Amino acid sequence: MVNSGQTALSKWQSFVLISMSAMLGLSLSYGNITSSWLAADLICAAVFAGSFILILFCFRRGNFTDIVDAMYFCFSKPLARVIFALMSIYFVTQAANALSMQSEMIKHFLLETTPSWVVITAVALTSCLLFRLGLRQLARTVELLLWVVAPPLVLLLALGLVLMDWGELAALFSPSSDTLAIQTLSCTVSFWGFDALMFFLGTKKLQPKASRFIWAAFITDTIITIISFFITIGMFSVNGAVGLTFPLAEMSRAINIGGVALTERFDILFIIIRLVSLIVRIAAALYCSAISLCGAFCSGGYKKFTPIIVPAVIALSVISLDQQVGQIVDKVCFFGFIAIMLAVIPVSAAVCAIRTRKKGVSGR
Amino acid sequence: MRKFIAVIAAAAVILSLAGCWDMEEINKRVYVVGIGIDLTDNPGIFDYTFESTVIGSEVSYKSTTVSADSLAQAVQMFNKSAGHTANFEHLSCVIIGRETAQAGFMNHLDFLLRLAAVRRQSRVAAASGKAKELISAGFSERGASAAVADVLESADPSLGGSAAVTLQSLYVAKQNGAGYYLYEVSLSPSQSLGTVSSADSVSSGDLSYSFVVSGALSFSSKNYSGRLDSGQTELLRLLDGGQTSGIIATTDANSAVTYYRVESSRCFKSCEIDGGKMTFSIALQMECSLVDAGGSGGLPENYSKAEAQIESSVFSQMQELLELCRLELGAAPTGLDTTVRQTHFGWYSSHTEDFEALFSQSVIELNVSCHLIRTGALNA
């Protein structure tokens, strides 16, 4: 099962890689916040768990070495190349979107006078460095980085849970049917990053039976998303959270031990946690985009696309600071994510199931 | 491992370089720790008093007043006069003159809420007179604003939680279209039982002054609705739960007064809505101890009798206060609007506009229970 030339990622590495690719559940946005958020998020979690089941089934059934192998098996070559080309654009857009949002947050809370492009370039270059190391080195680095961010994250969430007003959560348990559909669509944003999973699967990459750890990553991130959202609502109420541009950062800003005299700037702690997970997310998105380009151009050696992808991410991030461009980028990310999770993955799984039933795995 | 260290080192260098962009040395900054807002004789013009730190061999505080039509403009003028950009990271307290508060002050706070550097836990209080006088008069080691914040903090049993009146809690009230209240702070030459005092005190001649909570101003979502005195404000804190400093006085049939300290309290509120009519249930549980000093006359016969006296005393006072809130001041001081919003979110959202009118027609059921700590001073 393991490729002779390379070591497969350990189960723990697959857990941290997938978990951090989705920014540890500290999503960039919660979407539109209404009292239906919890119900909508759980619906999204169930739907995307279905996508997880399908992609895991697809790779297990087809015994694919990697995503390129899988796509070329499931689709005709020209179609697979088109899908890869679109996915490479999508992942560049995802990275740019995450980068521009984070840089805006850093500008707002931390480095008020530093131009956004400086922050964007700094983060993108750091991510590029990680991406250039390759998937295995990236996973090992992420493994160590998790120990850097996990303790402050636990501290932040624990304090938030102590200080929040639990009564505010009652509103979330009476969802309104009028807003549920729209809320469900906007909630997909908190699952962005999980689509990178399909690029980490394959006999060359993961140890057998790593699926339990993949599920653990999905569940952990979903729980962290829900807890952090609960704290935000507990701090600001549903209507209060609606008016916040950066709800998670504002939530961290609101955490304060012992009034005004003691520790108070937990937003900086949060920004550091987010920065680390963002660097991993960008690196993962760069990796996915580069692999997609390899698939699109039928070429090996994904690192050679670095000079195209990284400047593209930086340029698009800077451009998307403009509100109108930002909205277009948001839409590309939204539809791209939906297309991958609800179209590409189910169709791949269906085709794989049909073709392997006819020919058997050995027929490949 | 070497690659990991290289990545961390590279990240540290790259990110810290970004952070050093356009940096400003600490001695070039002016830290504003308190802001006072007062009406002036000119309509639309306000006096904004900034209490800022002076960093020398020792940290001292100075107050600067500028007149402007908005806080944003006042900050610009202050920056010009100070020669440096004002930094609001250490803002402890915003004090609003009573007249200004009564006329409406929320638009002044919008500017502060837009600044990420301003802490959301900054206290907001009303001055019994002019905010400028409070800030300028009360020089203590930590500055007047910090001292006022301390007083408000000691009045807050929830460790910076829901009971505190902060920029954040006012923002939440505004976003929910709810009412709110402000503690009123004044300089007092003496302290009386039942008021909250600060350890920070100031001296003027032979007199020693300290900041005290002298009352509270209540606001509906639209305007000022009335004032509570210090006793009512103290009593009101029982509805927040976690009250730990109040003093309760009871009088028996022989007019003998006994004082008890509230050691802890818990308040459970619930609401039922039937046909658009709200019925609230408030269950107040207190743990009290006997205060030796200040009593006149005989003590109650036993603990049970004393507990009954406390329950009766608090019940009658609280009932009166709840009626005042229901008919005049609005739901904000009682926190019952929050109870409705949390338990009946959909209903509250559709009745936000007429909530105060509906609240005035509501029924409030109060239940008070007290446990007196057994110290052996009374018969069992």
Side-chain angles (χ1 to χ4, degrees):
Chain A
M1 294 290 280
V2 178
N3 189 36
S4 55
Q6 291 169 311
T7 316
L9 301 183
S10 71
K11 292 167 188 171
W12 175 246
Q13 283 170 347
S14 54
F15 169 82
V16 292
L17 192 59
I18 292 157
S19 182
M20 293 277 270
S21 295
M23 298 189 74
L24 278 168
L26 300 171
S27 58
L28 293 163
S29 163
Y30 290 125
N32 302 326
I33 296 173
T34 66
S35 59
S36 306
W37 188 92
L38 181 61
D41 195 65
L42 292 174
I43 290 171
C44 284
V47 170
F48 297 132
S51 300
F52 263 48
I53 291 171
L54 291 176
I55 193 69
L56 289 170
F57 160 79
C58 181
F59 271 79
R60 194 168 54 239
R61 185 73 175 260
N63 202 23
F64 300 120
T65 51
D66 56 22
I67 182 72
V68 179
D69 184 22
M71 297 297 274
Y72 278 103
F73 176 74
C74 295
F75 300 101
S76 64
K77 205 168 182 181
L79 182 58
R81 292 176 76 164
V82 169
I83 292 172
F84 273 127
L86 290 174
M87 283 206 292
S88 71
I89 294 169
Y90 162 72
F91 280 108
V92 165
T93 314
Q94 270 282 15
N97 187 35
L99 208 45
S100 65
M101 283 177 82
Q102 181 78 13
S103 72
E104 282 293 278
M105 197 175 78
I106 291 173
K107 189 177 177 63
H108 191 66
F109 287 94
L110 198 62
L111 308 173
E112 291 171 38
T113 51
T114 307
S116 292
W117 68 265
V118 175
V119 177
I120 286 170
T121 310
V123 177
L125 289 177
T126 312
S127 296
C128 173
L129 210 65
L130 262 179
F131 151 71
R132 295 276 302 174
L133 295 175
L135 184 67
R136 283 151 194 84
Q137 279 290 350
L138 171 65
R140 281 177 211 130
T141 311
V142 173
E143 200 178 358
L144 293 168
L145 286 175
L146 185 73
W147 295 110
V148 176
V149 296
L153 179 62
V154 170
L155 175 72
L156 191 73
L157 295 181
L159 281 172
L161 288 171
V162 170
L163 296 171
M164 67 184 257
D165 183 353
W166 285 78
E168 295 289 353
L169 301 186
L172 299 175
F173 293 93
S174 51
S176 157
S177 54
D178 302 342
T179 54
L180 189 59
I182 295 169
Q183 179 70 80
T184 306
L185 287 176
S186 79
C187 258
T188 55
V189 66
S190 47
F191 293 86
W192 289 0
F194 280 124
D195 40 11
L197 168 72
M198 58 201 286
F199 289 81
F200 303 145
L201 294 174
T203 52
K204 276 183 180 178
K205 292 172 181 169
L206 294 187
Q207 279 184 357
K209 294 182 184 172
S211 60
R212 261 180 290 174
F213 286 78
I214 292 169
W215 281 112
F218 180 75
I219 292 165
T220 305
D221 281 14
T222 306
I223 289 171
I224 292 174
T225 304
I226 291 173
I227 291 175
S228 60
F229 180 76
F230 276 6
I231 298 170
T232 308
I233 296 300
M235 294 274 186
F236 293 99
S237 78
V238 172
N239 291 332
V242 172
L244 302 172
T245 314
F246 305 105
L248 272 173
E250 286 286 0
M251 174 271 279
S252 318
R253 187 81 176 97
I255 293 175
N256 189 10
I257 307 172
V260 293
L262 275 175
T263 321
E264 54 179 20
R265 291 226 55 176
F266 282 92
D267 54 323
I268 292 172
L269 197 65
F270 168 74
I271 288 171
I272 291 168
I273 296 167
R274 258 275 275 269
L275 200 56
V276 172
S277 48
L278 179 82
I279 288 168
V280 177
R281 178 165 176 179
I282 305 291
L286 291 174
Y287 175 80
C288 296
S289 182
I291 295 288
S292 298
L293 283 173
C294 286
F297 294 106
C298 297
S299 81
Y302 65 88
K303 287 179 192 172
K304 67 183 174 194
F305 292 107
T306 312
I308 302 167
I309 299 169
V310 177
V313 168
I314 294 172
L316 192 56
S317 305
V318 174
I319 295 167
S320 61
L321 291 171
D322 177 77
Q323 208 175 358
Q324 283 183 328
V325 181
Q327 282 173 352
I328 296 167
V329 164
D330 260 350
K331 285 205 171 88
V332 171
C333 292
F334 173 76
F335 288 112
F337 180 75
I338 296 287
I340 289 176
M341 298 300 273
L342 303 183
V344 174
I345 290 176
V347 171
S348 305
V351 172
C352 179
I354 293 164
R355 293 187 66 184
T356 50
R357 194 171 56 188
K358 281 182 187 166
K359 295 181 184 176
V361 176
S362 57
R364 292 178 56 224
Chain B
M1 182 52 88
R2 266 186 299 175
K3 282 185 177 173
F4 170 71
I5 292 167
V7 168
I8 294 290
V13 171
I14 293 171
L15 295 175
S16 59
L17 277 177
C20 291
W21 189 283
D22 212 7
M23 68 163 193
E24 202 174 30
E25 294 294 345
I26 196 163
N27 57 349
K28 303 272 185 193
R29 296 179 186 183
V30 177
Y31 288 99
V32 175
V33 293
I35 299 174
I37 306 171
D38 289 305
L39 283 173
T40 62
D41 295 335
N42 298 330
I45 301 293
F46 299 87
D47 275 346
Y48 294 95
T49 305
F50 296 92
E51 186 178 32
S52 57
T53 53
V54 179
I55 302 171
S57 56
E58 278 185 9
V59 178
S60 57
Y61 298 87
K62 72 168 186 178
S63 61
T64 311
T65 303
V66 292
S67 298
D69 60 5
S70 68
L71 185 51
Q73 193 195 25
V75 170
Q76 281 182 352
M77 291 165 75
F78 175 73
N79 287 345
K80 221 175 247 180
S81 71
H84 299 295
T85 308
N87 186 306
F88 291 93
E89 277 187 32
H90 295 274
L91 184 69
S92 297
C93 194
V94 180
I95 303 169
I96 297 154
R98 190 200 271 189
E99 284 180 11
T100 318
Q102 288 170 345
F105 62 93
M106 285 296 253
N107 54 338
H108 296 289
L109 303 184
D110 284 343
F111 172 78
L112 294 174
L113 285 166
R114 280 199 300 275
L115 294 180
V118 174
R119 47 181 147 194
R120 274 44 179 155
Q121 300 299 329
S122 296
R123 301 302 196 244
V124 183
S128 56
K130 291 264 183 193
K132 181 166 55 176
E133 288 163 9
L134 205 68
I135 290 178
S136 307
F139 295 118
S140 71
E141 281 181 9
R142 294 189 54 220
S145 303
V148 171
D150 277 353
V151 170
L152 298 173
E153 224 169 274
S154 64
D156 172 20
S158 63
L159 278 178
S162 57
V165 182
T166 59
L167 283 175
Q168 182 188 333
S169 65
L170 289 174
Y171 165 79
V172 170
K174 188 184 169 191
Q175 288 295 106
N176 282 295
Y180 43 90
Y181 65 96
L182 288 184
Y183 285 124
E184 184 191 88
V185 178
S186 60
L187 264 177
S188 171
S190 60
Q191 294 173 32
S192 58
L193 282 170
T195 57
V196 188
S197 65
S198 163
D200 277 308
S201 59
V202 290
S203 296
S204 173
D206 296 332
L207 276 174
S208 177
Y209 289 89
S210 61
F211 291 111
V212 293
V213 175
S214 55
L217 306 183
S218 178
F219 300 83
S220 70
S221 57
K222 294 182 182 74
N223 47 32
Y224 171 70
S225 58
R227 183 179 179 275
L228 295 139
D229 62 30
S230 63
Q232 289 169 325
T233 307
E234 187 70 18
L235 196 63
L236 204 64
R237 288 172 53 213
L238 284 170
L239 295 178
D240 284 327
Q243 160 76 285
T244 55
S245 63
I247 300 290
I248 294 167
T250 63
T251 313
D252 67 6
N254 304 320
S255 303
V257 182
T258 313
Y259 292 105
Y260 302 91
R261 180 180 298 281
V262 181
E263 297 293 344
S264 66
S265 73
R266 297 174 77 189
C267 183
F268 302 95
K269 298 173 206 162
S270 62
C271 173
E272 280 181 19
I273 300 172
D274 187 16
K277 191 178 174 82
M278 293 177 282
T279 304
F280 295 99
S281 294
I282 301 175
L284 196 56
Q285 296 173 355
M286 298 182 297
E287 188 170 63
C288 301
S289 63
L290 189 67
V291 178
D292 294 328
S296 63
L299 292 169
E301 285 172 26
N302 55 41
Y303 282 104
S304 304
K305 250 195 180 152
E307 284 168 350
Q309 278 181 8
I310 296 169
E311 285 167 6
S312 164
S313 170
V314 171
F315 182 86
S316 59
Q317 289 180 68
M318 189 62 87
Q319 192 81 316
E320 198 180 316
L321 183 59
L322 288 170
E323 276 302 287
L324 179 71
C325 291
R326 192 172 70 82
L327 300 172
E328 199 178 313
L329 300 179
T334 63
L336 291 174
D337 50 349
T338 306
T339 305
V340 182
R341 179 167 53 75
Q342 292 179 348
T343 55
H344 298 81
F345 184 76
W347 185 88
Y348 180 84
S349 301
S350 57
H351 290 86
T352 308
E353 286 295 316
D354 56 348
F355 179 78
E356 292 297 342
L358 292 169
F359 179 71
S360 67
Q361 294 158 17
S362 65
V363 176
I364 305 175
E365 293 164 357
L366 178 66
N367 184 289
V368 180
S369 63
C370 174
H371 171 73
L372 193 57
I373 296 169
R374 269 54 175 170
T375 55
L378 303 178
N379 295 326

